[in-house]
Amino acid sequence: MKATGAKKQTLFLTGVNATVRALGLLLRVILSRFLGAEIMGISELAQSVHMLAITPLTSGMPMAISRMTARARETDKQKPLLAGIWLVRAASAMLIPALLLLSPLLARWMGDTRVLPSLWFSAPCILVLGYSAALNGYCYGMEWSKIPALSELIEQVSRLLFTLMLLAMLERLTAPWLAAVPVAATMVAEVIGLAFVLHAVRIPLYDTASAARWRPSIFRLAAPATVTRLVQTLLRSLTAILIPLKLQQSGLSAAESTARLGMFNGMVMPILMLPCVFTSALSMVAMPRIAKAEETPAELRRLILLCFASCAPMGLLCTGVVYASAPLLANRVYRLAELAELFRFSAPLTLLLALGHLTGGITASLGQQKRSMYGALAVSLLTLALTCRLTVQPGLRLYGVILAQAAGEVLHIGWNLGVLFLWRHERRSLQTR
C-alpha cells in the first residue's frame, strides 16, 4: 500500500481508537461515581487476573500472525491464521478449566474473596479474545485495518450499553456482584465484536489441519512476546495485590488502601494511556510494512524515523494536556480533588508510555521479540522491587508507584533502542561479507 494509504489508515485507526478510549473513559467515570473507589478497587484486582488469563493468547499471537501473513505468498496468506486458530483452541481447552478451578484459591490468595464472581465471568473471555487476536493479526497482515478497528468500536459501545443496563437492572446487588457487572458486560461485548469480524472476513476456520506445518513458526514468533507479556502481567497483578498491602504498611487502613488502588489503576492510568490511541494505530499499520522492508535498508530507516517523528510530538502534546487539565479531571470528571496533584506528578509518564509502546512494536515487527524479552523481564522485576520499596514510605505512597513506573519505562525504552541498534549492526555486517 502506498504511503498515503498508510497515513489514511493511521488517521482512521487513531480516530476509532480515540472514540473507543473516550467511551472507555466515560464508562470508568460512570463506574467510579456509581460504584465508588472501594468497589473499583475490587474490580481492578479481578482485572489483573483477567489480563493474566488472556495474555497467552492475545499478546504474541497477533504480531506473529500479522508478520507471517505480510511476508507469505499470496496462496498461503490464510495459513498463519488457521495455524493460530488451532493454537487458540488447544490453549483455551487448558486455560478455561484451570481458571474456573483455581478461582477460589486465587480469590483467597489476593486477600479479598469478593473478586470471585468477576473471576468466573472472565473464563469464557479466554477463547473469545483468542479468536479475536488471531483474526485481528490476519487482518493487519492483509492491511485490512478497518475490520479490527470497527470490531473494537462495536465491542466498546456494547460494553458501555450492557454495563449501564445491568447496573440499572441490578442496582441492589452486593459489592462482589456489583464489581462483576463490568466483567459480565465485557464478556457479552467481546462475543458481539468477534461475530462482526467473522462476518466481515468470511474465512472457513474448520480446516486447521491444512496449516499444521505453520504452527511451529507461529509458536516460535509468538512465544517470546507472550512470555514477556505474561511475566509483565503476572508482575502487574502482583503489584496490584502488593500496593494495598504496602499502603497499609505506610499507615493507611485496608479500605483506604483498596480505594487508592482504584484511584490509580482505575482513574489515573487510563488518562496516562491517551497517546496509545495513536501509537497503537501507528504500530498496527507500520508493522507489516516494516516487516516487508527488512531487505531495503533505506525504506526501513525511513519508516522507523517516521514512526518516531509521529509519536514523540503526540506524546509531548498529551503530556501537556494531562498536566494542564489535572484540576478539571480531578474536580469535575472524577470529583476527587486529591487526584489533581497525582495527575500533575504522573503527566511525564504519558510520553514514556507512548515511546515504550512504539519501540516494542518496532522490535516485534523486525522479529526481535526474544532479545526484547530479556530486557522487558529484567525491567519488570526492577519496577516491582522499586514499587515495593517506595510505596511503603508514608511521604510517597502512590507517588512512589509513579516513580517506579517512570524508571521502568525509561529502562524499557533504552533496552529496545539497544536491540534495534544491535540488529542494524548485525545486518550491516552480513551485507559487507
Side-chain angles (χ1 to χ4, degrees), residues 293-306 431:
E294 282 188 29
E295 308 304 325
T296 53
E299 176 65 10
L300 180 61
R301 190 183 311 111
R302 186 189 71 83
L303 286 171
I304 292 176
L305 290 177
L306 182 61
Q431 291 171 359

Side-chain angles (χ1 to χ4, degrees), residues 100-117:
L100 290 173
L101 290 172
L102 293 175
S103 289
L105 179 62
L106 289 171
R108 288 195 297 270
W109 183 65
M110 286 188 286
D112 198 331
T113 56
R114 292 177 295 178
V115 304
L116 189 56

Side-chain angles (χ1 to χ4, degrees), residues 239 242 246 249 383-393 404:
T239 301
L242 288 176
K246 295 300 177 182
Q249 291 179 21
T383 302
L384 176 62
L386 282 173
T387 300
C388 293
R389 181 70 180 87
L390 298 176
T391 307
V392 75
Q393 298 184 26

Side-chain angles (χ1 to χ4, degrees), residues 18 21-29 32 44 262-278 314-315 317-330 332-334 339-340 342-344 346-354:
R21 290 298 177 97
L23 291 173
L25 178 60
L26 174 63
L27 179 58
R28 282 186 174 273
V29 171
S32 66
E44 288 300 322
M263 288 167 54
F264 181 70
N265 281 357
M267 302 176 192
V268 175
M269 283 304 295
I271 300 295
L272 301 184
M273 298 294 289
L274 277 175
C276 293
V277 168
F278 176 74
M314 182 61 66
L317 175 63
C318 290
T319 297
V321 169
V322 171
Y323 186 88
S325 60
L328 175 66
L329 292 168
R332 295 294 182 86
V333 177
Y334 289 114
L339 283 175
L342 205 61
F343 274 119
R344 288 198 185 98
S346 60
L349 255 179
T350 309
L351 174 62
L352 295 176
L353 288 168

Side-chain angles (χ1 to χ4, degrees), residues 79 82-83 89 204-212 215:
K79 296 301 174 64
L82 294 175
R89 292 171 181 170
L205 302 179
Y206 51 83
D207 189 21
T208 57
S210 63
R215 294 172 194 166

Side-chain angles (χ1 to χ4, degrees), residues 31-226:
L31 289 174
S32 66
R33 292 183 179 182
F34 190 93
L35 302 179
E38 186 175 359
I39 296 181
M40 285 289 287
I42 299 170
S43 183
E44 288 300 322
L45 282 173
Q47 180 69 11
S48 63
V49 177
H50 172 82
M51 293 302 297
L52 183 63
I54 66 174
T55 291
L57 299 180
T58 60
S59 52
M61 185 80 68
M63 292 184 291
I65 293 176
S66 175
R67 175 179 166 81
M68 292 188 67
T69 301
R71 295 173 65 86
R73 295 179 302 178
E74 197 63 35
T75 55
D76 291 332
K77 292 290 188 182
Q78 294 181 9
K79 296 301 174 64
L81 170 61
L82 294 175
I85 290 295
W86 185 90
L87 291 172
V88 167
R89 292 171 181 170
S92 298
M94 294 182 290
L95 292 173
I96 291 176
L99 178 57
L100 290 173
L101 290 172
L102 293 175
S103 289
L105 179 62
L106 289 171
R108 288 195 297 270
W109 183 65
M110 286 188 286
D112 198 331
T113 56
R114 292 177 295 178
V115 304
L116 189 56
S118 300
L119 298 183
W120 288 335
F121 282 117
S122 295
C125 299
I126 296 173
L127 178 62
V128 177
L129 287 178
Y131 265 79
S132 296
L135 286 161
N136 288 346
Y138 171 75
C139 289
Y140 284 119
M142 295 294 293
E143 300 183 8
W144 300 343
S145 56
K146 288 185 178 180
I147 295 176
L150 291 175
S151 169
E152 191 172 359
L153 180 59
I154 291 170
E155 182 181 320
Q156 189 70 300
V157 171
S158 301
R159 179 184 292 115
L160 175 63
L161 294 177
F162 275 103
T163 300
L164 295 178
M165 182 182 69
L166 289 174
L167 288 175
M169 293 172 57
L170 307 171
E171 58 181 1
R172 295 187 179 181
L173 289 175
T174 58
W177 290 98
L178 276 176
V181 165
V183 185
T186 297
M187 179 185 66
V188 177
E190 286 166 355
V191 172
I192 295 173
L194 175 60
F196 170 79
V197 177
L198 289 171
H199 175 74
V201 174
R202 296 178 183 239
I203 294 177
L205 302 179
Y206 51 83
D207 189 21
T208 57
S210 63
R213 69 181 183 87
W214 292 75
R215 294 172 194 166
S217 299
I218 292 288
F219 183 81
R220 282 195 301 270
L221 270 178
T226 300

